[in-house]
Amino acid sequence: MRPIDPTEFAKGPTLGGSARVSEAVARAIRARRGQGGETESAPQRPRDPAPSRTAYRMSRLWLTPSFRFFLRRIAPVAAVAACIGLWFAPEDNREAFMGQVMAIKAEVQNRPEFMVKLMAIDGASGELSEDIREVMAQDFPVSSFDLDLPGLLAQVESLDAVESAGLHVRAGGILQVDIVERTPAVVWRSDLGLEMLDAEGHRVAALGSRLDRPDLPLIAGEGADRVVPEAMAILKSAGPLTPRLRGLVRVGERRWNLVLDRDQVILLPEVKPLGALAQVVALDQAKDLLGRDVAVVDMRRPTRPTVRLTEAAQDELKRLRGVELGVSYR
């Protein structure tokens, strides 16, 4: 007798019994066959929907923002950098690349629109302009990329007559040099000769002869160049004595002597020389002090001025005193 197949039993029509009883009998038969070790293959187990451990870890790693940033941004850049580094590793490749770069650079820099053909100097006298062209020693035309503007500016400002300067390349290929020239204020006589100084004591230029600049006042003495502002203030305070003024002499690097024509000298004090000079000017206007036979007016002690007469006046004074006393001075 053929055994009953539970599948067929379940699919077959049920006669004389309910469907529920048939299904129960079919389940019991399937369970009995599984326990009895029948040769028929067991039904396939359903696939587990849960992911594997590796897939789970990869999913969690991909959800990390830093990991996504690394893969999307850093990893491509690192790969490209690695490829470039491998290509530049051989020395031949590096030399070929640098040669190509230098060729392109030279071609761009030597284009006509980047060439400087002329130099224009504004604000300088003719002599100073020649000195600037000589000290710069620049050959034209030259590429603007080859111009060392800071170095050229330092060379121009190293000239004594230049107070400040500015350099720039303007349209049309012209190197523009703007100069602020120092203005000579005094002539300084030193052991090295005559030199012109500005109002702050900076050297402007050498002077061959005093007659070349008679319009400038004269100062002399060691250290006079370091106190030019004070000398200018004294010269300005001379007032009515200016037409007779010959110059100022620095004595001991401490004080000034004011030298007038007729070999007259005013000895000014070390402290407050302007006040002492104002006293001498007032005495001259009131008593015509400097119009007399006076050789020296000593104001080193402003509270006790001292006057020294000329030799002729001293001889005349002695003669007059001898006449009064009946004594002859010979």
Side-chain angles (χ1 to χ4, degrees):
M1 183 177 180
R2 186 177 64 86
I4 300 174
D5 187 358
T7 306
E8 295 178 358
F9 182 81
K11 292 182 178 180
T14 56
L15 298 176
S18 64
R20 293 182 179 179
V21 175
S22 301
E23 293 177 0
V25 172
R27 284 196 298 271
I29 294 173
R30 285 195 297 270
R32 186 177 300 173
R33 284 185 175 181
Q35 295 175 357
E38 297 292 337
T39 57
E40 293 184 6
S41 61
Q44 186 178 4
R45 296 179 60 184
R47 180 179 179 277
D48 188 0
S52 64
R53 182 173 297 180
T54 303
Y56 174 77
R57 289 181 177 178
M58 292 301 298
S59 298
R60 295 297 301 174
L61 187 61
W62 182 252
L63 293 176
T64 306
S66 59
F67 181 75
R68 292 201 308 270
F69 177 80
F70 175 80
L71 288 182
R72 292 177 178 177
R73 302 292 178 84
I74 300 180
V77 175
V80 173
C83 294
I84 295 176
L86 291 175
W87 190 86
F88 274 102
E91 186 176 357
D92 295 339
N93 292 347
R94 294 196 301 270
E95 292 180 354
F97 178 79
M98 292 305 300
Q100 189 67 21
V101 170
M102 296 303 296
I104 296 175
K105 180 180 178 181
E107 182 179 356
V108 172
Q109 292 181 352
N110 293 326
R111 291 180 63 86
E113 55 267 27
F114 297 131
M115 299 300 291
V116 179
K117 308 176 183 63
L118 300 172
M119 179 170 61
I121 302 175
D122 293 337
S125 60
E127 183 178 355
L128 180 57
S129 297
E130 293 298 327
D131 294 339
I132 292 174
R133 296 181 186 277
E134 182 178 354
V135 74
M136 292 181 67
Q138 188 64 55
D139 297 329
F140 296 99
V142 62
S143 175
S144 59
F145 293 96
D146 295 333
L147 287 175
D148 182 14
L149 293 182
L152 294 176
L153 181 61
Q155 293 178 358
V156 173
E157 291 181 340
S158 65
L159 296 174
D160 294 327
V162 176
E163 181 176 354
S164 63
L167 272 71
H168 66 276
V169 179
R170 61 175 179 157
I174 299 176
L175 178 60
Q176 180 67 41
V177 184
D178 297 320
I179 300 295
V180 177
E181 189 173 357
R182 297 187 188 277
T183 303
V186 296
V187 176
W188 176 41
R189 185 188 298 276
S190 65
D191 296 337
L192 302 177
L194 296 176
E195 294 181 352
M196 292 186 294
L197 308 177
D198 65 359
E200 296 180 357
H202 295 285
R203 183 181 185 276
V204 177
L207 192 65
S209 172
R210 178 73 176 97
L211 299 177
D212 294 338
R213 292 302 301 267
D215 56 312
L216 297 178
L218 178 67
I219 63 174
E222 185 177 356
D225 58 323
R226 295 191 291 270
V227 285
V228 171
E230 183 181 9
M232 295 295 294
I234 294 175
L235 294 172
K236 185 177 180 181
S237 301
L241 302 180
T242 302
R244 299 185 53 194
L245 186 62
R246 291 286 183 85
L248 283 173
V249 178
R250 189 70 172 171
V251 179
E253 299 187 28
R254 297 182 297 105
R255 64 177 192 83
W256 295 97
N257 283 350
L258 190 69
V259 181
L260 305 177
D261 56 2
R262 295 169 47 195
D263 296 331
Q264 290 181 327
V265 181
I266 302 174
L267 308 183
L268 298 177
E270 181 179 355
V271 180
K272 297 181 179 180
L274 299 181
L277 180 58
Q279 293 183 33
V280 175
V281 173
L283 288 173
D284 181 60
Q285 291 179 341
K287 303 294 184 179
D288 192 22
L289 175 64
L290 299 176
R292 305 175 185 272
D293 292 334
V294 174
V296 177
V297 179
D298 191 348
M299 297 296 296
R300 287 176 292 182
R301 291 184 178 181
T303 58
R304 190 179 178 181
T306 303
V307 176
R308 184 189 309 166
L309 300 178
T310 62
E311 293 182 1
Q314 292 179 12
D315 294 341
E316 182 65 19
L317 181 60
K318 289 179 180 180
R319 189 186 67 80
L320 293 175
R321 287 178 179 177
V323 171
E324 294 179 356
L325 300 175
V327 180
S328 176
Y329 292 93
R330 294 183 183 276

